[in-house]
Amino acid sequence: MLFRSQLILEHMELAGDGALQAAFEQLKKKLAAEGLFDPDSKKSLPSTPGTVALITSGSGAALHDLLTVFSRRYPLARLLVIPSRVQGAGADLELSEAISRAESAVKAGVDINAVILARGGGSAEDLWTFNSEALARRIAACNIPTVSAVGHETDFTISDFVADQRAATPSAAAELLTPDRADL
């Protein structure tokens, strides 16, 4: 028995990491050449924060994890939640605006010692918002020490490289910024 088949291609891509990875590497190289990843430009994190701005989804697991770790480790920290979309078209602009809101709060007299930009894990496409050039430049320009806590241990985004510190997960960001009350 002989079967005949026909294959019609409308689009073809090179094998390998794909277009998203190529775009990521190109932007990473560009921003590194401009000095946005330079360790000498990074701000120090406070050893015991007074107020921390949490920029993340107002209903996601990342916020729950952050609140839980702060409550357990260092309940003296004041937390200012600035909700933002963390995925999808325009989310990078919303996150940038949330950073601006944190800086405006400082100008209004709120003593914010650090910002955590957080999102739980997901696919490369889910995390792509944190690879936005506009968001990267906004993070780099932020006057407040900033921690990028996007994804899981193996996930890296452009936000991680421009922030003052990277944390592997949102919970790790909270631990990074807090002394353990048992030690105090």
Side-chain angles (χ1 to χ4, degrees):
M1 183 180 272
L2 180 65
F3 291 100
R4 294 184 189 258
S5 61
Q6 181 179 14
L7 177 64
I8 300 172
L9 296 175
E10 293 183 15
H11 177 78
M12 185 183 315
E13 291 186 20
L14 293 173
D17 291 330
L20 283 182
Q21 187 64 33
F24 174 85
E25 293 299 335
Q26 183 178 18
L27 181 57
K28 183 178 169 188
K29 184 177 180 180
K30 175 184 175 180
L31 297 178
E34 292 180 25
L36 269 69
F37 305 163
D38 185 3
D40 293 335
S41 68
K42 305 294 184 183
K43 292 175 281 307
S44 298
L45 300 178
S47 57
T48 53
T51 302
V52 179
L54 307 178
I55 300 175
T56 189
S57 169
S59 61
L63 178 59
H64 177 267
D65 292 349
L66 288 163
L67 296 174
T68 299
V69 174
F70 272 101
S71 175
R72 176 177 44 85
R73 287 181 57 90
Y74 192 69
L76 296 176
R78 292 176 301 282
L79 305 175
L80 173 63
V81 178
I82 305 175
S84 175
R85 288 184 306 128
V86 293
Q87 178 176 331
D92 60 330
L93 301 176
E94 228 177 273
L95 289 161
S96 295
E97 176 58 30
I99 293 170
S100 295
R101 288 177 57 200
E103 288 182 320
S104 293
V106 169
K107 289 178 185 173
V110 179
D111 187 25
I112 298 175
N113 307 108
V115 169
I116 296 177
L117 194 64
R119 187 207 192 283
S123 69
E125 292 82 2
D126 292 341
L127 304 179
W128 193 253
T129 292
F130 295 90
N131 292 322
S132 157
E133 182 173 355
L135 178 58
R137 292 186 184 284
R138 185 64 191 91
I139 294 167
C142 184
N143 296 322
I144 307 166
T146 304
V147 178
S148 176
V150 179
H152 295 299
E153 190 77 36
T154 58
D155 298 318
F156 282 89
T157 65
I158 296 296
S159 294
D160 294 331
F161 295 107
V162 297
D164 297 305
Q165 183 80 39
R166 174 195 182 257
T169 64
S171 295
E175 290 180 4
L176 180 69
L177 278 171
T178 56
D180 189 337
R181 73 178 175 182
D183 293 340
L184 296 176

